[in-house]
C-alpha cells in the first residue's frame, strides 16, 4: 500500500485526484489533505477517505474542522503544509500558485515522490529545488499534462547532464479560447470569454493563463527546470485538438509523442502509480473515427507572454519568480474586474523591466524577490485602475 498526501484537495486537480484514489483503494491510501476556503468540501473528503491529518489556512478554520471531525490532527498554514508533506510516500501538490512552495520543498527534502501539478513553486524556486534534488533521493513526477508526456517520452533515454541526446522538447498548446483573434478582438475580450477554455476544464487561474499563453510560457520554464534542458531547446507548437500532449525530438531525427484525449486523471494516475500503470483507460483513443491532428506556430506578437517567459528563462536566477509572482497578482486583479485582459501581460512586462539580476541563493532571497515583484505588480495595477 502506497500512502498519499493530497495538498490542494478541494480544487480542480485535487478533485480529479480523488477520482483516481476511489478506483485504487487497494493500492493507494489517502492519509493527509489540505484546503483553504472550501472547508465543507475538505471535511467531506476527510469523512469519505477516513483521513486524520488535515491542513487549513488559519486557526479559526482549524477549530471548525476539529469540531466537525473530532479526533483528527489539524495543522495550519505554511508550517502545516510542510509537516504533512513529509508524511506520505507520494505527495500530490495541487495547491494554487506560490502558496504551494512548502509542499514542493518539504516533499523533496523528505526524499519522497512529488507528484507535481503546482508549476509556480518549481518555476519560482528552480535553483533551490535543484539543490534539494541533488542532495537527496526525492523525485518529481509531473502531473502537468505536457510534462507528464515529456516524462513518458524521455523514459527510455539516459538522464545525462544537459540531455545531449535530445535536440529539443516540443510543448503543445491548445492556443486557448482566443486562437486566431485579431489585436482588435483581443482588446475587447471579457472575463467570461477568457474563462471559456476550448479543450480543458480547470481552475480559474490556469484557465486565464491559458488564454494569455502565459501558461505555456510558465510551462517552458517548468520543462527547463524538470528536465535539465535550457529554454533555447524548448519550442512551443499550437495543436488545437489537445491530443498530442507534447513531444521529444532526439538528435537522430526521431520524434516521440504521447497521445490521449484530454483528461487530467491520466497524468494524475501516472504520477501516483509509476512504475505501475493503472488499468483505468482515462483519455484512451479509440481510432474508430477519423482523427485529424494539426500543428501551427504560436503568434508571439499577439501573445507576448511567451517571449516574456523565454527572456525570464534566459536571465535565470529570480527572473522566473518575478514573472510568476507578477502574473499571479495580475490574474487575480483581472478575475476581480480590476484590470482588462490586455493589461495582465502588460503588468507582468512592466514589473520585469525593474528586475535586477539576483542568483537566488536561499529561501529568504526567494521570499524577498516574490514579495518585491508582487508589490510592484500591485502598484502598476493601482495606477491602471485609477486611469
Ligand atoms: P484550483 O484553484 O481549482 O485549486 C487550488 C487548490 O489550492 C484548492 O484546494 C485551494 O483551496 C488551494 N489553495 C488556493 N490558495 C491557497 C493558499 N493560499 N494556501 C493554501 N491552499 C490554497 O486550482 P487547480 O486545481 O486548477 O490548479 C492547481 C495547480 O495545478 C496550479 O498550480 C495549476 O497551474 C496546476 N495545474 C492545473 C491543471 C488543471 O487541469 N486544473 C493542469 C495542470 C496544472 P480552496 O479551494 O479550499 O480554497
Ligand atoms: Mg499544462
Amino acid at each position: 500500500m502506497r500512502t498519499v498526501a493530497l495538498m490542494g484537495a478541494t480544487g480542480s486537480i485535487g478533485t480529479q485526484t480523488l477520482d483516481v484514489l476511489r478506483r485504487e483503494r487497494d493500492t493507494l491510501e489517502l492519509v493527509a489533505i489540505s484546503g483553504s476556503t472550501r472547508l465543507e468540501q475538505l471535511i467531506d473528503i476527510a469523512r469519505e477517505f477516513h483521513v486524520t491529518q488535515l491542513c487549513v489556512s488559519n486557526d479559526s478554520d482549524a477549530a471548525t474542522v476539529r469540531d466537525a471531525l473530532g479526533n483528527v490532527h489539524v495543522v495550519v498554514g505554511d508550517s502545516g503544509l510542510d509537516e504533512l508533506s513529509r508524511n506520505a510516500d507520494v505527495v500530490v501538490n495541487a495547491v494554487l500558485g506560490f502558496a504551494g512552495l512548502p509542499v514542493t520543498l518539504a516533499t523533496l527534502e523528505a526524499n519522497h515522490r512529488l507528484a507535481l501539478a503546482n508549476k509556480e513553486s518549481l518555476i519560482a524556486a528552480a535553483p533551490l529545488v535543484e539543490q534539494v534534488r541533488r542532495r537527496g533521493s526525492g523525485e518529481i513526477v509531473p502531473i502537468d499534462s505536457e510534462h507528464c508526456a515529456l516524462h513518458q517520452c524521455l523514459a527510455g533515454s539516459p538522464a545525462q547532464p544537459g540531455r545531449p541526446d535530445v535536440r529539443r522538447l516540443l510543448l503543445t498548446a491548445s492556443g486557448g479560447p482566443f486562437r486566431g483573434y485579431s489585436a482588435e478582438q483581443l482588446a475587447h475580450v471579457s472575463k467570461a470569454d477568457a474563462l471559456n477554455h476550448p479543450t480543458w476544464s480547470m481552475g480559474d487561474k490556469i484557465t486565464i493563463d491559458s488564454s494569455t499563453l502565459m501558461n505555456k510560457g510558465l510551462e517552458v520554464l517548468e520543462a527547463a527546470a524538470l528536465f535539465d534542458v535550457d529554454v533555447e531547446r524548448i519550442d512551443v507548437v499550437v495543436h488545437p485538438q489537445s491530443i498530442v500532449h507534447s513531444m521529444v525530438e532526439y538528435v537522430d531525427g526521431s520524434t516521440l509523442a504521447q497521445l490521449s484525449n484530454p483528461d487530467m486523471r491520466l497524468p494524475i494516475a501516472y504520477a501516483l502509480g509509476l512504475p505501475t500503470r493503472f488499468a483505468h483507460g482515462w483519455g484512451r483513443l479509440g481510432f474508430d473515427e477519423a482523427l485529424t491532428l494539426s500543428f501551427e506556430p504560436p503568434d508571439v506578437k499577439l501573445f507576448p507572454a511567451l517571449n516574456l517567459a523565454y527572456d525570464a528563462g534566459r536571465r535565470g536566477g529570480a527572473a522566473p519568480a518575478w514573472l510568476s509572482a507578477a502574473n499571479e497578482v495580475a490574474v487575480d486583479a483581472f478575475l476581480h474586474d480590476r484590470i482588462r485582459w490586455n493589461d495582465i501581460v502588460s503588468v507582468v512586462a512592466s514589473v520585469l523591466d525593474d528586475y535586477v539580476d539576483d542568483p537566488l541563493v536561499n529561501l529568504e532571497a526567494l521570499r524577498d524577490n516574490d514579495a518585491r515583484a508582487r508589490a510592484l505588480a500591485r502598484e502598476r495595477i493601482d495606477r491602471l485602475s485609477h486611469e
Side-chain angles (χ1 to χ4, degrees):
M1 190 68 116
R2 196 172 257 183
T3 56
V4 177
L6 174 54
M7 303 293 111
T10 48
S12 161
I13 292 289
T15 306
Q16 295 179 86
T17 304
L18 295 173
D19 275 353
V20 176
L21 294 171
R22 281 187 192 101
R23 295 277 286 269
E24 289 301 325
R25 288 190 191 265
D26 296 338
T27 44
L28 302 173
E29 182 190 3
L30 184 61
V31 295
I33 53 177
S34 85
S36 183
T37 56
R38 288 175 267 197
L39 275 196
E40 282 307 315
Q41 198 180 323
L42 191 72
I43 291 165
D44 287 346
I45 298 166
R47 288 201 174 110
E48 179 185 348
F49 288 88
H50 308 290
V51 176
T52 56
Q53 302 176 61
L54 296 95
C55 180
V56 291
S57 288
N58 56 56
D59 290 333
S60 129
D61 290 347
T64 307
V65 169
R66 276 191 207 99
D67 282 351
L69 295 172
N71 192 18
V72 289
H73 179 58
V74 188
V75 291
V76 171
D78 282 1
S79 63
L81 288 177
D82 181 297
E83 179 187 329
L84 298 194
S85 301
R86 292 171 193 271
N87 291 347
D89 300 324
V90 184
V91 179
V92 178
N93 189 352
V95 173
L96 182 67
F98 190 69
L101 181 67
V103 180
T104 292
L105 292 178
T107 306
L108 295 172
E109 278 165 17
N111 297 318
H112 293 150
R113 175 182 296 178
L114 175 65
L116 184 70
N118 174 283
K119 61 194 87 182
E120 296 92 343
S121 62
L122 173 66
I123 292 160
L128 309 181
V129 169
E130 189 45 36
Q131 285 169 20
V132 182
R133 271 166 108 187
R134 247 186 277 131
R135 270 202 311 267
S137 58
E139 63 167 341
I140 305 180
V141 183
I143 284 179
D144 208 352
S145 56
E146 296 76 2
H147 305 76
C148 179
L150 294 173
H151 196 270
Q152 296 180 64
C153 295
L154 287 166
S157 113
Q160 290 159 302
R163 298 255 179 203
D165 54 339
V166 170
R167 189 187 305 276
R168 60 179 175 153
L169 307 179
L170 284 147
L171 286 176
T172 50
S174 70
F178 305 140
R179 184 175 66 91
Y181 274 39
S182 64
E184 165 65 16
Q185 285 172 302
L186 287 175
H188 298 107
V189 297
S190 71
K191 186 163 82 178
D193 297 333
L195 283 171
N196 188 18
H197 195 278
T199 50
W200 293 99
S201 162
M202 310 179 283
D204 286 354
K205 192 258 179 183
I206 184 173
T207 305
I208 300 303
D209 285 348
S210 301
S211 75
T212 58
L213 289 204
M214 182 60 85
N215 182 50
K216 212 47 59 181
L218 294 173
E219 290 185 350
V220 168
L221 300 170
E222 181 183 7
L226 281 170
F227 302 116
D228 192 20
V229 171
D230 60 51
V231 293
E232 307 305 344
R233 286 196 292 151
I234 305 175
D235 286 334
V236 170
V237 52
V238 173
H239 164 52
Q241 297 84 15
S242 296
I243 299 273
V244 173
H245 295 296
S246 277
M247 300 178 267
V248 175
E249 183 188 327
Y250 285 93
V251 289
D252 63 359
S254 275
T255 297
L256 300 196
Q258 184 260 333
L259 284 71
S260 72
N261 283 310
D263 188 330
M264 285 311 294
R265 293 172 300 183
L266 170 51
I268 292 167
Y270 174 84
L272 289 173
L274 198 70
T276 302
R277 282 185 184 262
F278 297 130
H280 302 161
W282 276 312
R284 98 169 254 287
L285 287 165
F287 292 107
D288 38 13
E289 286 169 28
L291 175 66
T292 304
L293 303 177
S294 60
F295 301 92
E296 64 196 42
D299 188 336
V300 291
K301 276 217 179 82
L302 284 181
F303 296 93
L306 215 43
N307 281 340
L308 281 181
Y310 276 102
D311 285 346
R314 279 183 210 107
R315 290 190 80 168
W322 275 56
L323 174 90
S324 183
N327 180 60
E328 266 189 55
V329 174
V331 170
D332 191 64
F334 173 71
L335 285 170
H336 287 92
D337 305 307
R338 295 198 56 210
I339 57 174
R340 291 167 310 159
W341 182 86
N342 260 342
D343 296 328
I344 301 172
V345 176
S346 313
V347 166
V348 178
S350 119
V351 169
L352 278 170
D353 281 344
D354 284 11
Y355 173 67
V356 179
D357 284 321
D358 181 322
L360 210 54
V361 287
N362 56 32
L363 191 55
E364 200 189 342
L366 172 57
R367 291 210 177 274
D368 186 46
N369 273 286
D370 176 74
R372 287 214 312 272
R374 277 169 204 271
L376 280 172
R378 280 190 211 102
E379 192 187 295
R380 306 287 142 88
I381 288 162
D382 282 347
R383 220 180 292 158
L384 280 172
S385 27
H386 289 117
E387 268 170 14

